[in-house]
Each structure stands twice: as structure tokens, then as C-alpha cells.
Amino acid sequence: MQSNQKAANMKHEIHEPTSSDPLTSDFGVKSTSHDIWLSASTGDRKGPQLLEDNFAREKIMKFDHERIPERVVHARGAGAFGTFKLYESASDVTSAGVLTDTSRTTPVFVRFSTVLGSRGSADTVRDVRGFAVKFYTEEGNWDIVGNDIPVFFIQDAMKFPDVIHAGKPEPDTEVPQAQSAHNNFWDFQFLHTEATHMFMWAMSDRGIPRSYRMMQGFGVNTYTLTKNDGGERNFVKFHFTPTLGVHSLVWDEALKLAGQDPDFHRKDLYTAIDMGVYPVWKFGIQVCPESRQDEFDFDLLDATKVWPEELFPVRYIGEMQLNKNVDEYFTQTEQVAFCTAHIVPGIGFSDDPLLQGRNFSYFDTQLSRLGVNWQELPINRPVCPVMNNHRDGQLRHKITKGSINYWPNRKSIIPPSKPEEGGYLDYPEKVVAMKQRLHSVKFSEHFSQAQLFWNSMSEIEKSHIIAALGFELDHCDDPVVYERMVTRLCDISLELAQAVAEKAGAPTPTKTANKNHGLTAKGLSQFDFTPEALGLPATIASRMIAIIIGEGFNFAEYEAVKAALSAAGAFVFTVGPKRQPVKSSTGQSVAPDHHFEGMRSTMFDSLYIPSGEHVASLMKQGRVIHWVREAFGHCKAIGATGEGVALVKMACQIEGIIFSAGQSGEVVDSYGVVTASGVGRPTGVTEALKMVRGAKTFLDAYAFNISQHRNFKRELDGLTSLVAY
């Protein structure tokens, strides 16, 4: 990050206190005490404290005002610094330097967040995730204030207070926190048919991502790209696609993590960057010439619609990498302020009514939260020169010399720039219309893309959507709400509506007035974005793997597996009955990273149990059995060798699962449970793991299953429902 322009720009703001730094007041006077307020006291008796002690008053006052108003939405977040680099220039559609100059490395700051919950809510709740990127370009700051879902609940910003009020805790009880599973939210969804497409995305696995690093990011709104030559304007959608693939938690896991580790996502992001496994997203654009705006059966400016990739392929032109954690959460992650109105020359707005309102709302919100000079805060300040005639206001940082603060002036100080000098040029759009409250006719079609989304889901994704809607509507105690929502689901799929009706307790529908068109599209299912689907090699980089040990474990196997998985970039943790050293069968000792009660299987992507005498004692510990069963129920890869196979067999001995048996030690991969029973058998360590389907060695087969994220066939075939977890 030494070459990162934004890091250099902020360097003088960063100070690491040392023992040689004396205590001072905010105005620089050294203080003699951290601890005792000035008072009228004697050695025998404590007297009243004196208001004249400015050091104490300042300390208390600063503490009293440490909290700024939290964001109304997106209050809970995590952020990191990074860089953006182009693969190819987009000079054919825009003059924006950040999208055309392939020699640049543009610094960025990204903030991920949940939408509904307060700052104290949990990371893993079912919710839309914010995905906001601040590009510190040479021409000024450019903000893409997006989400991990490409569409939104509403078409017009005027409805934003309503959708958020409906989703937030209900006003009479202030419950539930960070959840959409209540009457008001689903009442709103039914009464606003435009929200149908979006709630299908939110109820899919997209609503419970495995990691911020495994989410897509979308600009959501329609922007424009322009060139300096005054040629045709193009509409554009922005995409970020993670090279790790798009992966999610399972619902039971998300619920448990919310209590076991409410900071799961922010810790995951910090750990990956701290360990040097930097998350990367490919940056893509979908482009449509303005002249084609009216050719389609949906309106390009409707934020409740996606642009099908069959019509508008995503053109990947660059990549973003996050490679530096924040130095302080408040001054950077909490004080960072995004605004959709922040664009640079070559990028413009469309007439998207949601975007138009966001441009006003975001700016207004930052004024309330951070004050009029919010863009002078170090994290928000551009890296390019900033000069204007703005003056004064609360918390003004900049000191501007001189007697002139207006334009025009006799000395021609701070003149405007011409377009050829880099000045922003507004596209001369011709507007012929009547002033009225009206959307285009195409804005009134609300079900076609919701059907397209449902039809494009895999079998496991459909089952998860049914389960999610069943859970949400089960928490609605007003029959009007859940019965009407089932009728809405009929507008998407009769099969879906019937399955949810059974769960929710609504009458089972038998027909629909809005027949499903049966079409599908690529780029909607998460399985379209696995590394394999993206043409990338299988990887276990940054996957969290727990090796379970007890007294008498096989040290050679433990070392070999840990070394091989770590060499492939996995984060390997040892979990035992205690954090004090645990002795192996050959006398070596290992100090576990965690004990069985300190962490749970939900916090890992996979479990491995090596062979050894320890298995006999582990099989007598209910918590260990639960670890294995829970990982099985969550469809995670499980590996075991030697006696370790017996532990997995005891926990998950159900019809359909096959285990390795006998001294031959044959490797068996059954629904992602990879076992090799032969004691002392080589573990198949190679110079580099060969993560391919049908691998013959234990480690290659085990690592391949980890790289697949989950074995959902285990759930589809009903095996997970046979295990209590």
C-alpha cells in the first residue's frame, strides 16, 4: 500500500501513540492526570468537584459525543482499502479516465453492510447486503453505492421511507431487530407488486451470504457513459463478480452464527486481508446505446428489473482487489460517506427515478449524520486537488488564505474549467414531456422477471426459497398478511405458492391468473458464478478448516494434512478439548487454537479428524459428535482417516452414506464425506493438491470437496433430515 495514493494522502492523519507521547488537552496543553477531577478537597475529606477543571470537562464531553447518529439503513458494516485496475479500456463508450486509462491503479475504499439492522445487530441475518465502492480517481471521487442484489424493492425514491419503515422494527414494540419476518414487511410486499422480483432475490440464498468476499456487487441503478466527442450516450449497469465464487450459508447455520459469532462477516473480511489472501472482484459493465432504449419489453430505467445477459452480455474490463484493513473503525469505516451523485467526467445519470431521488437523499443524509463539511473528513477527501469558494460551517478543516471567496473576481482566482480541461460536461439531453406524476407503461409489469428468477434457480435454490418464505410467513401472525402473500406467489409459480401455503397455514391455491412464461436466464443462479463456471481453477484459499484432535492423535497425519491445506491457501485451525497442549500418540504436543465449547462447526467450512487413539475419547463427547453431525447437516465437506472414520460413522451412520473400511484404506467420497480407513496409510500429500472431481488420493478428494463449498446433493436426497443437529 506504500504506492497507494489514498494511503499516502491520509498518512499525516495517522499517529500511533507511544510512551513518549505526553497527555495533552485537545488544545495542546499538557495535563498532569488521567484520573482525578479537580475538586475542593483535603487529605482527610473529598470535596465538591470544580467546573473550572477543563481537562476533566473536555474528557467527559468528548466521551459523551463519541457516537454520531448511526445510519438509518446500512448501519452495520465493515470496510477495507484496495485498488482498481483495468484489463482493457472502455474508451469506445466513455471518456472517464478511471475506465479508459489502463496504466492507472486507482485506490478504493469499500464498505459492506446489512440494510435493516442497527449497528449492534448480527452479521448473518437474512437481509440485502450493501456493496459501496469509493473510487479516489484523479478527476475526483466516484461512488458506486450498490447492493449484492441487482434490483430493488421500489421503482421510485419517493417510496423509500415506506419500504424502510415497513422493514424496520414495528413502531409499537420495536421488534423484530434486523429481520423482515414480520407483518409490516410482508404487508408492504403484497401491496407493492413492484417489490415481487426483489423479495424473491432476498428470500433466495443471496440473503445469507457466506462472506462479503463471496458476494456479487451491483450498481443497481442505470447510469450513463459519455465521450468527449459528443456522440451517442450509452446506458450502463455496473457489476462486481468475486473470483472466489458466489456462495452462501445455509439457514440453520446463519441463525446459529447470529448468536455464536455476530461479527462473523466482519471478522472473515479482516482475517482474509490480514492473512494476505486478498479478495478480488472482476469489474464488468452492461452497455446499451440510448438509441435502443425502447426496443425491449421492460424499461431500462426500472430499478426493479435486471438486464438479461442474453441481451446485454457483461463485459469484464477490470478488477478490484481489497488489500489493506482499516487502521481505525470509526474514522474510516463509520465516517466514510457515499453519495450516488458523486460521478466523474464520462459518467452520468439516467432518468432512473430511484437514482434521481437517491442523488438528493444521500447528500442530505450525510449532512445530518456528519455535518456540512463531511467531505473534508480524511476518509472522504479526494486524492486530487480540491478548491472552491465554500467557506465555514461546522467542523471546517480546510484553512484557505486570501481575501477573495467569490466568482467572478478581479484576480480570476479559482476559475471554472472548460470541458477540454477536464471540466464536467452535462449531456445535452432533449426532454419533451408533461409535468406530472407518471411512470412509463413498461414500469407497470411486475411479475415477468420474478418468474424468470424462479425458473432460473437450481433445485436446491428453489427448496431454500420455499423454506425461507415458509419461515418468514410463519412469523406473521395476521392471516390477512400470509394468506395474501400466498396469492402473490401464485403470480410467480403455482408450485411455489402451494409449497409455501402448506408451511404458512394459508389455503392451498389451485390455479393462477398469471401463468409462468417458463423462460430462464443465465447469471441469476449462484451456480453460474462458481470458480468452475467462471473458468477459474478450483480453490480452497481462505476456507476455514477445523482439525479435531484429542489426546493420542496421529501427529504425522495431522501435520501432513495441515501443511497441504495451508499451502493451498486454506486457513487451518486446530480444535481440541482444551487450549493447553494436547499430546499425540508419538509424544509431540500441539496447543489447539480453540476448544470444542469456544468455537462451533458453524464457524468453519469443513472438518477433518485424523486417526489415532484420541478417537475413542472423542466418541464419548457429545459436543464432538454434535460438531460432526452439524457439519454434515450443513452440507460441508468432512474428512477422516484411520480411526477417525469410526467417529464420523458413529455421528452420521445413515442409509446412503458409504465409509471406507478395512486396512486397505481405500479412499471413499460419499456425498462429500471423504474417508480413508487404512491406519498409517500415506495421506496422498503432493507438491500441489489436484482438486478435481474423482481424485484418487485422500487429500486431493477432500480438498476438491472443500472447494465445492457444499455438497447439496446430501440435502436434496434427504440425508441431512435424518441427522439431528
Side-chain angles (χ1 to χ4, degrees):
M1 288 293 292
Q2 294 302 313
S3 62
N4 187 310
Q5 191 178 5
K6 184 58 184 177
N9 173 263
M10 296 183 68
K11 190 173 182 179
H12 71 281
E13 306 283 352
I14 300 172
H15 181 73
E16 186 174 352
T18 68
S19 58
S20 62
D21 292 311
L23 174 67
T24 77
S25 68
D26 276 351
F27 52 94
V29 176
K30 294 180 181 178
S31 175
T32 57
S33 176
H34 261 295
D35 308 306
I36 303 175
W37 197 304
L38 184 66
S39 64
S41 302
T42 68
D44 297 323
R45 180 169 294 176
K46 184 70 175 178
Q49 295 176 184
L50 303 177
L51 285 177
E52 68 184 65
D53 186 353
N54 189 71
F55 293 101
R57 289 181 62 201
E58 180 186 86
K59 184 176 182 180
I60 291 295
M61 180 275 294
K62 293 289 286 193
F63 172 76
D64 289 344
H65 294 274
E66 281 182 358
R67 298 293 176 264
I68 63 175
E70 74 174 32
R71 292 166 168 88
V72 176
V73 289
H74 300 277
R76 175 151 186 102
F81 293 93
T83 54
F84 174 74
K85 183 77 175 173
L86 289 173
Y87 301 141
E88 64 174 74
S89 172
S91 58
D92 56 316
V93 290
T94 181
S95 57
V98 66
L99 299 180
T100 59
D101 186 351
T102 57
S103 68
R104 290 190 188 186
T105 298
T106 301
V108 300
F109 186 85
V110 178
R111 186 178 185 273
F112 305 103
S113 57
T114 54
V115 174
L116 289 178
S118 67
R119 278 189 65 188
S121 58
D123 280 348
T124 60
V125 296
R126 179 177 294 282
D127 199 356
V128 182
R129 297 308 191 279
F131 193 116
V133 184
K134 187 179 290 291
F135 297 81
Y136 302 97
T137 84
E138 295 176 16
E139 293 79 25
N141 288 354
W142 172 35
D143 293 350
I144 296 181
V145 196
N147 291 330
D148 71 327
I149 291 174
V151 293
F152 202 59
F153 291 103
I154 53 175
Q155 297 170 322
D156 193 300
M158 196 170 181
K159 292 302 300 176
F160 193 74
D162 295 310
V163 68
I164 297 304
H165 284 172
K168 285 282 192 177
E170 297 191 1
D172 54 345
T173 60
E174 188 61 13
V175 295
Q177 175 62 243
Q179 288 190 57
S180 56
H182 60 100
N183 290 324
N184 284 3
F185 178 81
W186 288 104
D187 185 41
F188 183 95
Q189 300 308 300
F190 175 78
L191 293 170
H192 291 77
T193 54
E194 67 200 68
T196 305
H197 189 199
M198 175 64 166
F199 79 62
M200 288 295 290
W201 282 82
M203 292 301 107
S204 76
D205 289 342
R206 305 280 187 150
I208 46 173
R210 160 61 181 84
S211 165
Y212 290 139
R213 302 175 295 113
M214 300 171 193
M215 296 190 320
Q216 282 181 285
F218 302 95
V220 179
N221 294 115
T222 300
Y223 285 84
T224 60
L225 298 177
T226 57
K227 297 174 65 177
N228 289 334
D229 60 11
E232 182 173 31
R233 186 169 65 158
N234 289 275
F235 293 118
V236 63
K237 292 269 195 177
F238 299 115
H239 295 247
F240 296 90
T241 300
T243 58
L244 287 173
V246 181
H247 302 295
S248 294
L249 301 170
V250 295
W251 182 232
D252 181 72
E253 184 181 27
L255 287 173
K256 291 172 177 174
L257 280 170
Q260 294 166 351
D261 190 358
D263 305 303
F264 182 76
H265 281 151
R266 60 172 63 182
K267 286 164 64 175
D268 171 89
L269 177 67
Y270 184 94
T271 299
I273 295 173
D274 192 51
M275 297 287 285
V277 183
Y278 302 137
V280 172
W281 287 262
K282 295 165 61 180
F283 175 78
I285 56 176
Q286 285 180 294
V287 176
C288 177
E290 188 174 12
S291 60
R292 299 187 59 199
Q293 180 176 0
D294 300 321
E295 292 182 13
F296 312 101
D297 60 1
F298 63 96
D299 198 311
L300 294 175
L301 308 184
D302 182 353
T304 68
K305 305 294 195 300
V306 296
W307 293 7
E309 291 188 31
E310 289 80 3
L311 295 175
F312 309 99
V314 179
R315 173 184 171 189
Y316 289 104
I317 62 172
E319 73 174 31
M320 179 179 72
Q321 180 191 82
L322 297 185
N323 47 32
K324 182 185 183 302
N325 282 314
V326 299
D327 297 294
E328 185 181 28
Y329 182 90
F330 178 81
T331 52
Q332 295 172 325
T333 304
E334 186 61 21
Q335 289 197 143
V336 69
F338 299 91
C339 183
T340 55
H342 286 176
I343 53 176
V344 292
I347 301 171
F349 307 122
S350 74
D351 293 329
D352 175 343
L354 183 65
L355 174 61
Q356 296 284 323
R358 291 180 81 195
N359 287 345
F360 172 86
S361 179
Y362 277 64
F363 196 99
D364 194 51
T365 296
Q366 307 306 356
L367 292 175
S368 173
R369 201 170 68 87
L370 298 171
V372 68
N373 288 307
W374 58 276
Q375 300 200 75
E376 291 191 33
L377 292 170
I379 189 63
N380 298 321
R381 190 174 57 224
V383 298
C384 63
V386 174
M387 185 58 67
N388 51 51
N389 289 317
H390 300 166
R391 293 293 188 273
D392 308 341
Q394 185 183 32
L395 299 179
R396 175 74 171 179
H397 290 61
K398 192 169 189 174
I399 301 169
T400 308
K401 296 176 64 176
S403 61
I404 292 176
N405 59 356
Y406 57 93
W407 178 265
N409 60 74
R410 62 189 179 278
K411 296 183 179 180
S412 296
I413 292 173
I414 317 180
S417 296
K418 298 176 182 178
E420 57 268 25
E421 297 170 333
Y424 188 88
L425 179 65
D426 290 288
Y427 183 79
E429 179 185 6
K430 182 179 180 181
V431 178
V432 179
M434 298 292 289
K435 185 165 65 173
Q436 55 189 321
R437 298 186 188 277
L438 183 70
H439 285 316
S440 73
V441 174
K442 291 179 181 178
F443 269 63
S444 63
E445 199 291 304
H446 298 149
F447 303 131
S448 176
Q449 289 210 350
Q451 293 175 350
L452 189 71
F453 180 77
W454 170 256
N455 298 344
S456 302
M457 294 296 99
S458 64
E459 185 180 356
I460 191 66
E461 289 172 307
K462 285 184 175 181
S463 72
H464 289 170
I465 291 171
I466 292 170
L469 286 163
F471 176 91
E472 296 273 319
L473 296 182
D474 182 69
H475 285 68
C476 298
D477 54 18
D478 188 338
V480 172
V481 174
Y482 58 79
E483 289 178 7
R484 290 202 306 192
M485 271 309 305
V486 167
T487 67
R488 173 66 66 246
L489 297 177
C490 286
D491 293 318
I492 303 169
S493 161
L494 185 59
E495 169 200 13
L496 168 64
Q498 290 172 335
V500 174
E502 183 178 353
K503 295 283 188 182
T508 300
T510 58
K511 60 182 179 179
T512 176
N514 195 21
K515 189 178 180 186
N516 187 300
H517 52 58
L519 301 175
T520 62
K522 67 177 183 179
L524 303 181
S525 168
Q526 291 193 156
F527 290 95
D528 292 339
F529 298 99
T530 63
E532 183 180 14
L534 295 173
L536 301 171
T539 180
I540 61 172
S542 76
R543 288 294 184 170
M544 303 275 286
I545 301 171
I547 300 181
I548 296 177
I549 65 170
E551 299 286 348
F553 68 97
N554 185 315
F555 184 77
E557 283 188 355
Y558 163 85
E559 281 281 274
V561 172
K562 182 177 181 180
L565 297 177
S566 297
F571 299 159
V572 184
F573 297 83
T574 305
V575 185
K578 57 186 179 180
R579 289 182 72 179
Q580 290 181 346
V582 175
K583 187 173 290 187
S584 71
S585 58
T586 49
Q588 301 94 333
S589 291
V590 170
D593 299 292
H594 302 285
H595 61 77
F596 299 134
E597 296 297 333
M599 297 285 272
R600 298 293 172 88
S601 79
T602 51
M603 301 172 192
F604 299 94
D605 293 296
S606 179
L607 310 181
Y608 165 66
I609 303 101
S611 67
E613 304 163 5
H614 69 141
V615 172
S617 64
L618 293 179
M619 291 172 69
K620 297 177 182 178
Q621 299 183 50
R623 180 63 69 198
V624 175
I625 301 300
H626 183 261
W627 266 68
V628 178
R629 286 178 175 165
E630 190 172 52
F632 182 88
H634 294 160
C635 300
K636 296 176 181 179
I638 298 173
T641 48
E643 292 90 345
V645 178
L647 171 58
V648 179
K649 189 174 183 178
M650 175 185 176
C652 309
Q653 189 169 17
I654 57 177
E655 185 177 350
I657 298 294
I658 303 170
F659 299 92
S660 177
Q663 294 299 309
S664 64
E666 179 186 1
V667 176
V668 175
D669 178 356
S670 179
Y671 288 92
V673 178
V674 184
T675 54
S677 62
V679 178
R681 184 180 184 276
T683 55
V685 178
T686 56
E687 290 186 5
L689 292 174
K690 297 181 177 65
M691 287 177 274
V692 295
R693 197 177 304 277
K696 300 301 182 185
T697 70
F698 170 77
L699 263 173
D700 287 342
Y702 177 49
F704 172 77
N705 277 279
I706 299 171
S707 76
Q708 298 302 291
H709 181 61
R710 313 262 175 185
N711 189 300
F712 283 122
K713 193 172 189 307
R714 197 186 297 170
E715 181 180 335
L716 288 171
D717 288 356
L719 302 183
T720 57
S721 63
L722 300 177
V723 175
Y725 60 92

